[in-house]
Protein backbone atom coordinates (compact mmCIF):
# COMPACT_ATOMS: atom_id res chain seq x y z
CA UNK A 1 0.00 0.00 0.00
CA UNK A 2 2.83 2.35 0.90
CA UNK A 3 4.49 1.79 -2.49
CA UNK A 4 1.27 2.50 -4.42
CA UNK A 5 0.71 5.75 -2.46
CA UNK A 6 4.31 6.78 -3.01
CA UNK A 7 4.02 6.21 -6.78
CA UNK A 8 0.81 8.21 -7.02
CA UNK A 9 2.20 11.16 -5.07
CA UNK A 10 5.64 11.24 -6.70
CA UNK A 11 6.40 14.05 -9.16
CA UNK A 12 6.24 12.95 -12.81
CA UNK A 13 3.76 10.15 -12.19
CA UNK A 14 0.16 10.48 -13.10
CA UNK A 15 -2.77 8.36 -14.07
CA UNK A 16 -3.81 8.84 -17.70
CA UNK A 17 -7.14 7.63 -18.92
CA UNK A 18 -7.03 6.00 -22.35
CA UNK A 19 -8.22 8.36 -25.09
CA UNK A 20 -10.05 7.45 -28.23
CA UNK A 21 -8.24 8.35 -31.46
CA UNK A 22 -9.05 11.85 -32.75
CA UNK A 23 -11.92 12.06 -35.24
CA UNK A 24 -10.69 13.14 -38.64
CA UNK A 25 -12.75 14.07 -41.64
CA UNK A 26 -12.77 11.28 -44.19
CA UNK A 27 -10.77 12.01 -47.30
CA UNK A 28 -12.85 12.90 -50.32
CA UNK A 29 -12.95 10.29 -53.07
CA UNK A 30 -13.75 11.67 -56.53
CA UNK A 31 -15.55 9.70 -59.23
CA UNK A 32 -15.13 10.22 -62.97
CA UNK A 33 -17.05 8.78 -65.88
CA UNK A 34 -16.62 9.32 -69.64
CA UNK A 35 -19.83 9.17 -71.69
CA UNK A 36 -20.48 8.95 -75.43
CA UNK A 37 -16.85 8.70 -76.55
CA UNK A 38 -16.26 9.50 -80.22
CA UNK A 39 -12.98 8.87 -82.03
CA UNK A 40 -12.36 9.64 -85.71
CA UNK A 41 -8.73 8.51 -85.95
CA UNK A 42 -7.38 11.87 -84.87
CA UNK A 43 -9.61 13.36 -82.13
CA UNK A 44 -11.36 11.92 -79.08
CA UNK A 45 -14.43 13.73 -77.83
CA UNK A 46 -17.23 13.00 -75.41
CA UNK A 47 -18.71 14.06 -72.09
CA UNK A 48 -16.87 13.86 -68.78
CA UNK A 49 -18.90 13.50 -65.57
CA UNK A 50 -17.41 14.05 -62.12
CA UNK A 51 -18.80 13.45 -58.65
CA UNK A 52 -17.69 12.36 -55.21
CA UNK A 53 -18.04 8.92 -53.69
CA UNK A 54 -17.20 10.26 -50.24
CA UNK A 55 -16.74 13.76 -48.86
CA UNK A 56 -16.99 17.03 -50.77
CA UNK A 57 -14.69 17.79 -53.70
CA UNK A 58 -14.05 21.10 -55.40
CA UNK A 59 -13.81 21.19 -59.19
CA UNK A 60 -12.98 23.89 -61.69
CA UNK A 61 -16.17 23.88 -63.76
CA UNK A 62 -14.17 24.98 -66.84
CA UNK A 63 -12.72 21.40 -67.07
CA UNK A 64 -9.75 22.40 -69.22
CA UNK A 65 -8.36 19.60 -71.40
CA UNK A 66 -4.75 18.68 -70.53
CA UNK A 67 -4.98 20.77 -67.37
CA UNK A 68 -7.74 19.60 -65.03
CA UNK A 69 -8.42 16.59 -67.28
CA UNK A 70 -5.47 14.99 -69.03
CA UNK A 71 -4.70 12.04 -71.25
CA UNK A 72 -2.05 10.07 -69.36
CA UNK A 73 -1.70 7.03 -71.65
CA UNK A 74 -2.75 5.87 -75.12
CA UNK A 75 -2.30 2.28 -76.27
CA UNK A 76 -3.02 0.66 -79.63
CA UNK A 77 -5.72 -1.99 -78.97
CA UNK A 78 -4.26 -4.34 -81.60
CA UNK A 79 -0.70 -4.36 -80.25
CA UNK A 80 -1.25 -3.16 -76.64
CA UNK A 81 1.79 -0.94 -77.22
CA UNK A 82 1.92 2.76 -76.30
CA UNK A 83 1.47 5.15 -79.21
CA UNK A 84 2.74 8.70 -79.51
CA UNK A 85 0.01 11.29 -79.24
CA UNK A 86 -0.25 15.06 -79.20
CA UNK A 87 -0.60 17.01 -75.98
CA UNK A 88 -1.90 20.53 -76.44
CA UNK A 89 -0.58 22.48 -73.49
CA UNK A 90 -3.25 24.81 -72.23
CA UNK A 91 -2.58 27.13 -69.36
CA UNK A 92 -5.87 28.64 -68.28
CA UNK A 93 -5.94 31.74 -66.11
CA UNK A 94 -6.32 30.99 -62.41
CA UNK A 95 -9.80 29.93 -61.40
CA UNK A 96 -12.06 32.66 -60.07
CA UNK A 97 -14.52 31.99 -57.25
CA UNK A 98 -17.37 31.57 -59.75
CA UNK A 99 -15.34 28.90 -61.64
CA UNK A 100 -15.22 26.63 -58.58
CA UNK A 101 -17.96 24.18 -57.69
CA UNK A 102 -18.26 22.05 -54.56
CA UNK A 103 -19.75 18.60 -55.20
CA UNK A 104 -21.18 16.37 -52.49
CA UNK A 105 -21.80 12.64 -53.01
CA UNK A 106 -24.81 12.08 -55.25
CA UNK A 107 -24.32 15.28 -57.29
CA UNK A 108 -22.65 15.21 -60.71
CA UNK A 109 -21.11 17.85 -62.94
CA UNK A 110 -20.49 17.30 -66.65
CA UNK A 111 -18.75 19.00 -69.54
CA UNK A 112 -18.10 18.23 -73.19
CA UNK A 113 -14.39 17.72 -73.90
CA UNK A 114 -12.21 17.22 -76.98
CA UNK A 115 -8.65 15.92 -77.27
CA UNK A 116 -6.77 16.22 -80.59
CA UNK A 117 -4.53 13.15 -80.34
CA UNK A 118 -3.09 12.48 -83.80
CA UNK A 119 -2.24 14.78 -86.71
CA UNK A 120 -1.49 13.06 -90.02
CA UNK A 121 0.12 16.22 -91.44
CA UNK A 122 2.40 16.55 -88.42
CA UNK A 123 3.65 12.98 -88.05
CA UNK A 124 2.63 11.40 -91.37
CA UNK A 125 0.06 8.93 -90.07
CA UNK A 126 -3.38 8.69 -88.55
CA UNK A 127 -3.99 7.16 -85.18
CA UNK A 128 -4.77 3.46 -84.77
CA UNK A 129 -8.27 2.18 -85.50
CA UNK A 130 -8.77 1.38 -81.80
CA UNK A 131 -7.17 2.94 -78.73
CA UNK A 132 -7.19 2.24 -75.01
CA UNK A 133 -6.87 5.51 -73.11
CA UNK A 134 -6.25 6.52 -69.54
CA UNK A 135 -7.66 9.88 -68.48
CA UNK A 136 -6.77 11.55 -65.18
CA UNK A 137 -9.05 14.11 -63.57
CA UNK A 138 -7.50 16.59 -61.14
CA UNK A 139 -9.96 18.07 -58.63
CA UNK A 140 -8.79 21.06 -56.61
CA UNK A 141 -6.29 20.49 -53.81
CA UNK A 142 -6.29 18.65 -51.41
CA UNK A 143 -8.30 15.95 -53.21
CA UNK A 144 -6.19 13.37 -55.03
CA UNK A 145 -6.58 12.81 -58.79
CA UNK A 146 -8.68 9.94 -60.12
CA UNK A 147 -8.25 7.98 -63.36
CA UNK A 148 -10.56 6.22 -65.75
CA UNK A 149 -9.83 4.07 -68.77
CA UNK A 150 -11.80 3.64 -71.93
CA UNK A 151 -11.56 1.86 -75.25
CA UNK A 152 -12.67 3.71 -78.36
CA UNK A 153 -12.79 2.52 -81.95
CA UNK A 154 -12.85 4.56 -85.12
CA UNK A 155 -16.16 3.97 -86.94
CA UNK A 156 -15.97 1.92 -90.10
CA UNK A 157 -16.12 4.04 -93.25
CA UNK A 158 -19.37 3.48 -95.09
CA UNK A 159 -19.12 3.10 -98.87
CA UNK A 160 -21.02 5.69 -100.87
CA UNK A 161 -24.48 4.49 -101.84
CA UNK A 162 -24.83 4.87 -105.50
Amino acid sequence: MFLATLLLLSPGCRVVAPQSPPQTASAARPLVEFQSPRYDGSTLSGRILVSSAEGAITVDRRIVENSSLEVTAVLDCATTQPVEYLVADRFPPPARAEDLLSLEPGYWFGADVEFPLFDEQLNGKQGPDCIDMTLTFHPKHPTSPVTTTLRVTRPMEQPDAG
Side-chain angles (χ1 to χ4, degrees):
M1 180 77 169
F2 173 74
L3 183 58
T5 305
L6 182 64
L7 285 175
L8 286 175
L9 297 175
S10 300
C13 292
R14 64 185 177 146
V15 176
V16 178
Q19 295 180 342
S20 59
Q23 295 291 341
T24 58
S26 62
R29 285 188 312 126
L31 296 172
V32 65
E33 212 177 278
F34 200 91
Q35 291 185 330
S36 306
R38 294 173 302 283
Y39 170 64
D40 63 5
S42 64
T43 301
L44 169 79
S45 59
R47 185 159 184 81
I48 190 78
L49 294 174
V50 295
S51 183
S52 176
E54 185 176 319
I57 64 169
T58 301
V59 299
D60 183 338
R61 67 177 75 225
R62 298 174 296 172
I63 310 251
V64 179
E65 294 92 340
N66 297 317
S67 180
S68 54
L69 180 65
E70 69 176 318
V71 175
T72 50
V74 179
L75 304 176
D76 183 328
C77 297
T79 65
T80 68
Q81 295 299 308
V83 292
E84 288 184 28
Y85 59 95
L86 302 173
V87 176
D89 291 331
R90 294 183 61 193
F91 301 100
R96 298 170 304 183
E98 59 265 21
D99 294 329
L100 301 178
L101 175 67
S102 180
L103 289 174
E104 298 282 341
Y107 292 92
W108 290 83
F109 177 75
D112 293 327
V113 294
E114 186 172 278
F115 293 94
L117 296 172
F118 307 103
D119 186 339
E120 191 171 2
Q121 292 178 344
L122 188 63
N123 62 7
K125 60 182 178 179
Q126 277 194 331
D129 288 337
C130 175
I131 55 175
D132 287 323
M133 290 186 56
T134 302
L135 293 168
T136 301
F137 175 68
H138 300 273
K140 289 300 184 185
H141 184 72
T143 306
S144 298
V146 62
T147 62
T148 188
T149 57
L150 60 138
R151 175 172 280 195
V152 288
T153 303
R154 178 185 342 200
M156 299 285 289
E157 291 187 25
Q158 299 295 325
D160 291 336

